[in-house]
Amino acid sequence: MELLTGEYRNTLDEKGRILFPTRLRNELFSDSDRTVLIVTQSFDHCLWLYTLDEWKNISSKIMETASPFNARNSLVLRHFIAPAQEVELDKAGRLSIPQSLREYAHLSKDCVILGINRYMELWDAEAYGKYLSENEDSLKEAAEALSSISF
């Protein structure tokens, strides 16, 4: 799998389905007849989307290190692992986002899908714009913290 990158804008229909970008679809599912993604809550009121392999990798790492007897660990497990759902693309290339996850991310009609290397994010377009503007100063600080990376 190549890196998943790009920003894609699509609309959510009245049944909670969104057309998944062709470029990402071709990259993720070119060698597979099973077009399934795992969708779960993130920490910024957007949704994270993973391939099955990537989900197995990240969720197993979390489960190996997280103890249900630790309150902080349980919080992460309940927020990230528990709401995860398997969603299959239909023949038209649409993802049907479960109602509970649509409500969590406040998804309305206009949405943004971001390819972020090995996973994707699904945002309400207005919420994403607000997030970007509210975090502009933090972005500059975060980028400066990465100054040790050389090109």
Side-chain angles (χ1 to χ4, degrees):
M1 175 173 76
E2 290 184 32
L3 299 180
L4 301 170
T5 59
E7 181 176 309
Y8 307 89
R9 295 185 178 263
N10 281 322
T11 56
L12 195 69
D13 69 16
E14 65 281 346
K15 295 181 180 179
R17 299 174 302 195
I18 188 166
L19 185 62
F20 196 70
T22 303
R23 184 183 160 288
L24 294 177
R25 196 168 55 231
N26 290 342
E27 178 58 38
L28 292 172
F29 305 116
S30 59
D31 298 331
S32 172
D33 58 352
R34 188 145 191 246
T35 52
V36 173
L37 292 173
I38 303 299
V39 182
T40 194
Q41 297 176 166
S42 78
F43 301 109
D44 292 313
H45 284 281
C46 70
L47 301 177
W48 284 338
L49 293 80
Y50 293 91
T51 63
L52 286 173
D53 288 342
E54 196 61 37
W55 176 252
K56 287 176 188 174
N57 180 38
I58 193 168
S59 64
S60 67
K61 287 179 182 177
I62 292 169
M63 294 306 295
E64 287 170 9
T65 59
S67 168
F69 299 106
N70 177 295
R72 294 177 82 188
N73 291 178
S74 292
L75 182 63
V76 171
L77 295 175
R78 290 180 187 126
H79 185 86
F80 179 64
I81 301 291
Q85 295 188 46
E86 189 175 290
V87 178
E88 189 164 5
L89 274 76
D90 67 13
K91 292 181 188 218
R94 297 173 299 195
L95 279 177
S96 183
I97 308 299
Q99 178 69 28
S100 60
L101 294 173
R102 288 194 318 261
E103 289 173 3
Y104 169 79
H106 308 290
L107 297 181
S108 60
K109 185 176 180 180
D110 296 320
C111 295
V112 177
I113 297 173
L114 302 172
I116 307 178
N117 193 342
R118 294 174 15 191
Y119 73 100
M120 295 146 290
E121 290 184 346
L122 175 59
W123 286 83
D124 175 78
E126 186 176 327
Y128 182 61
K130 185 177 178 184
Y131 171 84
L132 289 177
S133 64
E134 288 176 353
N135 289 284
E136 190 171 346
D137 290 336
S138 297
L139 171 61
K140 291 175 186 175
E141 292 171 14
E144 286 177 8
L146 297 174
S147 63
S148 63
I149 296 175
S150 60
F151 293 91

